[in-house]
Amino acid sequence: MAPQLGFYGMPGILDMPTASALPDGEFATTLGHFNGNTRITLAFQMAPRLTGSFRYAAIADLDDTGLGGALFDRSFDLHWSVWDESGWRPALAIGLRDIVGTGVYSSEYIVVSKTFAERFRGTIGLGWGRLAGRGSFGNPIGRWAIRPDVDLGSGGTFAANQWFRGDMAVFGGLEYQATERLSLQVEYSPDLYVRERDGTFSLNSPFNFALTYRFNKTASVQAAYMYGNSLGVSLNLAFNPKRGPFGSGTERAPPAVVARPDRQNRPDLWTPVWADVAEFRAKIEADVAELLEKQDLTLVGFEISAQHVRVSFRNDRYRQTAQAIGRVARVLSARMPASVQTFEILPLADDVSTSVIKMDRSDIEHLEYAFDGTDGMRRAADISDAGQVDMPRPIAGAYPRFTWRLAPYNRVSLFDPSNPLIYDVGIQLSGTYRLAPGLSVYGAVRQKLTGNLNKSRLVRPYPQGAPPIVRSDSYEFNQFSDLTIERLTANYLFRPGENLYGRISVGLLERMYGGVSTELLWKVPGRRWALGVDVNHVKKRAYEQNLDLQDYEVTTGHLSAYFDLPKGYQFQVDAGRFLAADIGARFTVAREFRNGWRIGAFATLTNVGFEEFGEGSFDKGVILSVPLDWLRGKPTRRNVVRTLRPILRDGGARLNVRNRLYPLVRGRSDPKLTEGWGRFWQ
C-alpha cells in the first residue's frame, strides 16, 4: 500500500501518524481544513528514513495576540523510520511534532504499522503531549513521569526536556485499499484539542473516518468526518524531484561529431600550413563563435595553433556544465582543421576561469557511439584548475559587451505571521555591461504593478534590548510602488592564485544595503570541501530604494566552510559578524538533486538572546530552489528560490550579495563537474 498523508501533512491516517515513509526525495504539500483548523504543510523525504516538514496553520478563535481572529502558527516536524516492514515484523517510526514553534501542536510518538492481505494496514502507537489526552496513563520511566511546563514565550526554541515526558496514551487506526484509487480510513485519536475548544471547536467522539481518492501518483483528496461532529477535506500533491515531467528534456539535439578523414587517404587535409594564414585562423574563430551561438553558448576567448586549440566560453543555458562542454567539443570537431589534435576547454563563471578540460580529439571521434562512451570520455579527459593557465585571447566583440533582459518579477512572502500569502508582481529591467575579463557593471530596476506586500505585518514594538533594526523594517521598503533600483554594482572577479578566487563588489549591493563587499574562496578541484571569507562595509539604503543612503552603517563578514557530501547532501557553516553587529554562526543543511532541485534548512544562532530577538527566538527557515528547466523542459540555469522563515527579525541577518563565489564556482569544477558528466553527449 502506498503511504498516506494525514491532516498534518506527514505520513498518517488523519490526525494520527503511521510508521510509513515517503519515497526517497519525495516532496509533498498538503492543504487540510476541518472545524476552524486549516493546515498547510510542506513535507520532504530528506533521506530514505527521515521525513521533515514545515507547517503553517490557521486556528480560528485562538489568537494569542489579543487582537481577535485566528492564530497563525508555524511549526516543524521530524519523522524517523527506524525500520521497514519485513515478514511478520511491522514498520517502526519515531516522531516529533512542533519541535521549533509555539508548542500548539507539541507532541511525540512511537508507532508501528503492518500490512495484512495486501489491502489492510493497521497502526498502533504511543503518544505524548497532545497525543496523551484521552485515556492517558503514567510514564513507566520514573524520571520521565512529569512533563515540565515550558514557557515557550513567542516560540522558536527547542523544548527538548519535554520530549517523551509525562503521561502517554494509545492511538491507532486501520486503512483499507478498496480499489486501486479508493481507500478508507478509520482512527482512534486521544487528542482532546484542549486549546482549540476554548474557541469554536467542539469534540464529541475520539473516532475519525475518511475516504481517500487518488487521482494519480501526484494528486489525491481525502474527505473526512472528524471527532463526531464536523466534516473535513484534505488535498495532497506529491512529486519526486528525481523525476522531471519532461524526462531528459526537450532541448534541441547537439551537433554531430565530425570525424576527420583517414590521414593516409587525405594527407593534404592534415598539413598544418594553414596555421600561418591569419585570415584562415580568423575565419575559424568566427565560425566557432557562430556555431556555439546556435547552441546558446557564448565564445569569449579563442587561440589556435597547428595542433592545439584553447577556448573559453560562457554558459547561461545548460544546468550541467558537462553538457555545455560536450557541445563545445562537438563544435570544435566540426570546424577544426585535421591537424588540431588537442582541445582545451575553459568554462567561465561570470568571466572567471574555473577549470580547464583537456581532451584528445581522437577520443571524441571514437567514443561518441561507444557502449561506454560517457565513462570513457570522462576517463580520457583531464580536468584541472585553470588558475595558472593562460587565458585565451578575447575574441572581437567579447569586451566591452552589453546584455539586457526585460522580464516579470515577483516578490512573495509565504506563511507570514499575519497572512499565508503576500506578494508583489511587476516588471524588472536588468542589464550587464562587461568591460573586461572579470570586470562588469550590473543594474536592475523594478516597477511594481500590483500586490499587497505593503500590507504585511509591521514587526513592532521591539523587545527591550533588541539589536539594531536591520531587516525587520522591510515593511518600510514595501510601501513604495514607484520605480525602484533593485541593484547597481560594479564587480571585479579574478584569480589571485592557484585554487583561489576573488571578488570585489561596489554599489547598491541589494535591496536594503549598499557599500563594498569583498570575498576570497579557496577550492581545490576534486575535494568535497572549500573555505571562504568575506568582509563587507555597508550602509542601509533609503526606503524609496533610490540612490540615497541612511545613517546606519556596519562592517560585517564571515568565515565560511562548504562541504559537498555524497548523494547531493550539502553542509555549510558561516561564522562571523552579522548586519546587526551580532556575533554567531549560521548552519545550513541541504540536499540537491542533479536536475537542480535543492531543499534545505538553516538556523542562525548569535549572541542576541532569545528574548532580545523577539518572536521566533532565533533566525531559522527552509530553503526551496526549483529549477525552471525542470518545470519547462527547456534548458536554463535559472531557479525559483524561496526562503520560508517563521518570521523575519534582526538577529542573524546576513548581507544578500548577488554573485557569491562558491555557487558560481562549484558547478564548473570537480567533483560537481564529474557528477554531471552523464549529459556530456546530450
Side-chain angles (χ1 to χ4, degrees), residues 488-491 504-509 515-517:
L488 182 60
T489 56
N491 308 284
I504 301 173
S505 300
V506 180
L508 305 179
L509 301 171
V516 180
S517 173

Side-chain angles (χ1 to χ4, degrees), residues 152-191:
L152 294 171
S154 52
T157 58
F158 290 95
N161 63 339
Q162 280 195 327
W163 296 348
F164 302 99
R165 264 66 167 184
D167 290 346
M168 52 189 185
V170 175
F171 63 85
L174 183 66
E175 302 168 80
Y176 171 59
Q177 192 72 43
T179 69
E180 183 179 347
R181 296 180 181 272
L182 182 66
S183 61
L184 292 77
Q185 296 84 29
V186 59
E187 71 175 12
Y188 168 81
S189 168
D191 191 345

Side-chain angles (χ1 to χ4, degrees), residues 71-102:
L71 169 68
F72 294 97
D73 183 73
R74 289 84 59 205
S75 57
F76 296 86
D77 293 3
L78 287 177
H79 176 93
W80 175 257
S81 178
V82 180
W83 62 64
D84 301 324
E85 288 190 48
S86 178
W88 288 97
R89 185 186 70 185
L92 171 67
I94 300 172
L96 301 168
R97 282 183 180 171
D98 200 356
I99 58 173
V100 187
T102 59

Side-chain angles (χ1 to χ4, degrees), residues 312-602:
S312 61
F313 73 98
R314 203 161 42 240
N315 167 33
D316 297 322
R317 177 66 63 183
Y318 303 100
R319 184 166 302 278
Q320 297 295 343
T321 302
Q323 184 175 8
I325 292 171
R327 296 197 174 214
V328 173
R330 288 169 178 264
V331 166
L332 294 179
S333 76
R335 194 60 192 89
M336 291 301 104
S339 65
V340 177
Q341 179 62 23
T342 304
F343 297 168
E344 285 193 11
I345 302 173
L346 290 81
L348 301 180
D350 211 353
D351 283 356
V352 172
S353 63
T354 54
S355 303
V356 55
I357 299 89
K358 187 175 182 179
M359 303 178 185
D360 190 287
R361 185 174 183 176
S362 298
D363 293 328
I364 299 171
E365 294 170 335
H366 296 153
L367 292 172
E368 181 183 18
Y369 298 111
F371 176 75
D372 65 340
T374 301
D375 292 337
M377 197 65 238
R378 177 59 191 92
R379 290 192 297 269
D382 177 68
I383 301 177
S384 59
D385 179 64
Q388 301 300 307
V389 175
D390 292 334
M391 292 291 291
R393 173 188 53 80
I395 68 169
Y399 305 100
R401 183 185 179 95
F402 179 72
T403 56
W404 62 277
R405 183 171 184 264
L406 180 65
Y409 83 88
N410 67 81
R411 178 176 282 121
V412 177
S413 177
L414 296 172
F415 313 135
D416 185 85
S418 59
N419 197 320
L421 175 62
I422 52 178
Y423 66 94
D424 278 351
V425 175
I427 296 293
Q428 174 173 293
L429 175 63
S430 59
T432 301
Y433 188 51
R434 303 181 187 277
L435 299 167
L439 181 62
S440 65
V441 176
Y442 174 83
V445 294
R446 287 184 171 183
Q447 176 60 61
K448 174 182 172 181
L449 299 179
T450 186
N452 60 352
L453 268 177
N454 60 329
K455 298 179 181 178
S456 61
R457 191 176 80 171
L458 179 60
V459 186
R460 289 176 180 169
Y462 300 102
Q464 185 69 28
I469 302 170
V470 295
R471 289 293 189 199
S472 58
D473 59 347
S474 60
Y475 172 89
E476 305 285 1
F477 287 85
N478 296 331
Q479 300 306 303
F480 297 92
S481 58
D482 294 333
L483 190 70
T484 59
I485 302 174
E486 184 73 7
R487 300 176 192 265
L488 182 60
T489 56
N491 308 284
Y492 181 52
L493 281 75
F494 56 99
R495 295 296 305 267
E498 186 176 3
N499 303 323
L500 290 174
Y501 301 82
R503 175 185 60 81
I504 301 173
S505 300
V506 180
L508 305 179
L509 301 171
E510 53 144 287
R511 184 188 183 212
M512 298 178 69
Y513 287 90
V516 180
S517 173
T518 62
E519 185 179 5
L520 184 68
L521 175 72
W522 181 68
K523 186 183 188 306
V524 179
R527 293 186 182 177
R528 290 189 171 273
W529 56 276
L531 299 174
V533 58
D534 68 279
V535 179
N536 322 276
H537 186 80
V538 295
K539 296 188 72 173
K540 182 177 285 189
R541 294 180 57 188
Y543 293 134
E544 295 83 359
Q545 296 149 81
N546 49 28
L547 297 175
D548 295 335
L549 301 172
Q550 300 185 40
D551 292 335
Y552 181 77
E553 61 181 305
V554 64
T555 298
T556 175
H558 295 82
L559 294 172
S560 299
Y562 309 91
F563 303 90
D564 265 324
L565 306 177
K567 297 184 179 181
Y569 294 102
Q570 302 168 15
F571 183 63
Q572 179 176 336
V573 181
D574 303 290
R577 193 172 193 241
F578 292 84
L579 285 173
D582 47 331
I583 307 296
R586 172 175 293 182
F587 304 90
T588 304
V589 179
R591 185 177 183 184
E592 183 180 66
F593 299 92
R594 291 187 180 180
N595 57 15
W597 268 87
R598 186 172 186 268
I599 304 173
F602 67 90

